[in-house]
Amino acid sequence: REEPKRPGVPAPTWNAVQVEGESFVVDVMFEPGALYEDGSGKALEYLRRLQEDAEKDPGGLTRDTAAPSLQQNLTGRMLRPSWHVEPWEVEFDRRD
């Protein structure tokens, strides 16, 4: 989908999918693969950040805040694929 164009401001585009008849916005920038329920607080925050980034620098992204999926204060269901794991659930050892 694409936001309506405003003169001099790049219009962000985003991906949306339907899962069992429900629409979700696909996060491909801040937490790739997260699905935010369309119209929810998480989806609206994702779209707001896309617009904000487009207005600041069309080629860059601001990643200074947590992804919408991690913000507990935002409403909305978020689907995860069956293979998804959170970073803190993975144990690894880095040996230099």
Side-chain angles (χ1 to χ4, degrees):
R1 299 193 304 198
E2 187 172 324
E3 282 285 306
K5 295 192 185 278
R6 294 185 287 170
V9 177
T13 57
W14 63 92
N15 295 299
V17 296
Q18 283 202 332
V19 178
E20 296 180 0
E22 292 186 62
S23 295
F24 292 87
V25 174
V26 182
D27 186 336
V28 296
M29 305 306 283
F30 307 105
E31 186 175 344
L35 301 177
Y36 307 132
E37 188 175 23
D38 198 15
S40 70
K42 291 182 187 303
L44 295 175
E45 175 65 8
Y46 176 73
L47 298 176
R48 183 194 68 75
R49 288 175 64 184
L50 287 181
Q51 181 63 45
E52 183 179 272
D53 286 339
E55 290 172 1
K56 285 183 185 175
D57 178 8
L61 285 174
T62 304
R63 296 180 186 254
D64 58 350
T65 58
S69 60
L70 300 175
Q71 295 181 31
Q72 298 294 327
N73 61 323
L74 299 175
T75 61
R77 256 179 348 123
M78 187 183 72
L79 297 184
R80 297 275 194 192
S82 59
W83 46 263
H84 178 82
V85 294
E86 296 294 346
W88 55 85
E89 297 174 329
V90 178
E91 291 185 32
F92 62 93
D93 184 20
R94 180 179 168 183
R95 297 172 194 229
D96 292 47

